[in-house]
Amino acid sequence: MIQKQAYGDNPIAKRKTDLYKEEYVHSFVQKWDDLIDWDARASSEGDFFIRLLKERGVRRVLDVATGTGFHSIRLLRAGFEVTSADGSPEMLAQAFANAKRAGFIMRTIQADWRWLSRDIHNKYDAVICLGNSLTHLFSEQDRRKALAEFYTALRHDGVLILDQRNYDGILDSGFTSKHVYYYCGDNVSAEPEYVDEGLARFKYTFPDGEKFHLNMYPLRKEYTRRLMNEVGFQQVKTYGDFQETHKVEDPDFYVHVAEKLYKNEERPKTILGSLGSQAYSTAVDTAREYYNSSDADRFYATIWGGEDIHIGLYHSDNDSIVEASRRTVEKMASSVKNLDSKTRVLDIGSGYGGSARYLVKEFGCQVGCLNLSETQNKRNRELNQKAGISLAINVIDGSFEDIPLPDGSVDLVWSQDAILHSGDRKKVFEEVSRVLGKGGQFIFTDPMQSDKCPEDVLQPILDRIHLDSLGSIEYYQQVAKDLGLKEVQIVDLSKNLASHYARVLEELVAQHNALIRVCTEEYLATMQVGLQHWVDAGMSGHLTWGILHFQKG
């Protein structure tokens, strides 16, 4: 096992494609994850690549530059089927170990891009080549051959996503880096030691003083785009640091998205839908617009504390909303069978992600947060970053009426007081049943009408939340039964509904002077009336609320 890099007497003379095999020595690979800083990188790029793939209906991904597994593992967590390839056996070994710690068995292949089809015979919806990896190829013949092999590995409507450092800026204006998006490790520097039109020699210095080098070919942006077109890709869109518009000198990195499809071809619909551009149902879109509003966001963040925004469990009238809300999460989690670090969780209608963070911290779960409000999702990602657990939680913009995950891809679907916002709750159950694996569990809470609720008595509440009806325990039991979901437990906790909304109303009045600075007076007045309707209906026994728990056979 090679431990030290050896470039000889003239390192800038080393300009060959196969050099990377000598550069990624064991000691360098062991430090690679420190250079990247997975949490910081996950936070900086957000779900950029996941969204690109899901917008195109991608299911099967070939990661040809796996490295130590950062993107392969993120995509596995998001429910993709991933094959992980790399030319460096040292990198693949580290990636496999990282994936195992994350609860996945990675499918790995050591392969040289120039002869990729010799080792990989399947067709993929997407090939990703990330981490500035194409820069390891020093001859144009090798670059053309690699891109042609990527093209061949794709289905007829497949997409290649490839990134590169902004060498244009380095060659033309000198090196500057925000050090924000890719190499984010604290106290780790990555900077060029020598640059000409045919070589960028980078030095990587770690906190312990150890130094490593990489010799790379400085690809210019337009040159890379032209090669993609010349090997057959029909459309190439380029982002600068994940933004579609940018100045040439600004980005640290470029991301090229190359399509095999012609512009006039229509992409086939797949089970993953077209996340990010899909048409929501009227009920879901109404809820999305409401929760995206600054009034709603500021109100919930102020009154609930910005962590949980669901009904709580109250032991006394003096309980805070924050502690009561957290009790609900704890009680639900205690009811789930075999909840541990291997459990793949999907939280539908996840709000600010408080439940997801609890499940990660207490049980080590990997959690997907599917939520319709981009405003809430932004706050969710920020809180995950602050907690240092961005890698364990994948936040996805979308609707639970069309869950953007493959069949049987999760062990537990979790939801709190969100399903009421659907205009087609049977469809939600169908989607939940579809994505659950064999033996998977579905646990949720939801404000519901009681079985003896008089007709029209809930109209003020329905008008307030723009719905035609609420679900009921009996309705959800029947839908679950029709789908073959076995009832595990129904826990009626209805008295907490009136207590909860009474506490929220009390806080609205008590904090009115503070709220009026961040919310409009009209919103607060409407909210006050609406909360009173919930309290009255709850006290009259017209509403019910509790924990419903089902399991897939």
Side-chain angles (χ1 to χ4, degrees), residues 47-55 74-75 78 80 394:
D47 63 352
F48 177 82
F49 293 112
I50 292 168
R51 286 179 61 83
L52 283 180
L53 295 171
K54 289 186 173 176
E55 283 171 357
R74 288 207 83 196
L75 295 180
F80 293 95
N394 179 34

Side-chain angles (χ1 to χ4, degrees), residues 127-141:
V127 170
I128 62 171
C129 182
L130 303 176
N132 192 41
S133 299
L134 193 69
T135 196
H136 289 308
L137 305 181
F138 273 86
S139 77
E140 181 165 315
Q141 178 179 337

Side-chain angles (χ1 to χ4, degrees), residues 268-448:
K269 300 295 183 185
T270 75
I271 201 166
L272 289 176
S274 53
L275 185 62
S277 59
Q278 62 189 9
Y280 294 131
S281 68
T282 300
V284 169
D285 199 50
T286 299
R288 173 177 171 268
E289 184 178 341
Y290 170 74
Y291 285 112
N292 271 339
S293 70
S294 60
D295 276 336
D297 180 52
R298 291 166 182 171
F299 179 80
Y300 290 115
T302 301
I303 296 297
W304 266 273
E307 186 74 12
D308 299 309
I309 51 172
H310 49 75
I311 294 171
L313 297 177
Y314 291 83
H315 292 167
S316 75
D317 294 338
N318 297 322
D319 286 350
S320 72
I321 295 171
V322 171
E323 65 180 328
S325 298
R326 181 41 48 98
R327 278 197 202 106
T328 307
V329 178
E330 293 169 349
K331 185 170 182 63
M332 289 176 66
S334 69
S335 301
V336 176
K337 304 173 185 177
N338 305 316
L339 187 59
D340 59 25
S341 61
K342 295 180 181 179
T343 307
R344 300 165 299 172
V345 183
L346 175 65
D347 184 351
I348 57 173
S350 50
Y352 295 133
S355 300
R357 284 184 289 280
Y358 175 83
L359 293 174
V360 169
K361 292 176 181 177
E362 295 297 319
F363 301 94
C365 303
Q366 303 294 324
V367 185
C369 287
L370 178 65
N371 194 53
L372 52 81
S373 167
E374 294 85 357
T375 298
Q376 291 180 343
N377 291 345
K378 180 175 183 292
R379 189 186 294 272
N380 189 352
R381 295 184 185 103
E382 291 170 350
L383 290 170
N384 296 339
Q385 180 186 6
K386 185 177 179 181
I389 54 175
S390 297
L391 287 175
I393 301 176
N394 179 34
V395 184
I396 306 167
D397 301 334
S399 166
F400 43 41
E401 292 179 355
D402 186 15
I403 298 176
L405 289 178
D407 297 1
S409 57
V410 298
D411 305 306
L412 171 65
V413 175
W414 175 292
S415 185
Q416 289 178 266
D417 305 337
I419 298 174
L420 78 158
H421 291 298
S422 171
D424 189 350
R425 299 179 189 107
K426 182 181 178 183
K427 174 66 172 172
V428 177
F429 268 64
E430 289 171 347
E431 282 291 276
V432 167
S433 179
R434 178 182 64 77
V435 301
L436 279 176
K438 183 177 176 61
Q441 300 171 73
F442 179 28
I443 190 166
F444 70 98
T445 62
D446 207 40
M448 301 166 284

Side-chain angles (χ1 to χ4, degrees), residues 1 11 43 143 202 281 297 305 316 345 363 368 412 449 468 484 504:
M1 185 178 292
S43 178
R143 288 188 284 274
F202 268 71
S281 68
D297 180 52
S316 75
V345 183
F363 301 94
L412 171 65
Q449 65 183 43
D468 296 326
V504 175

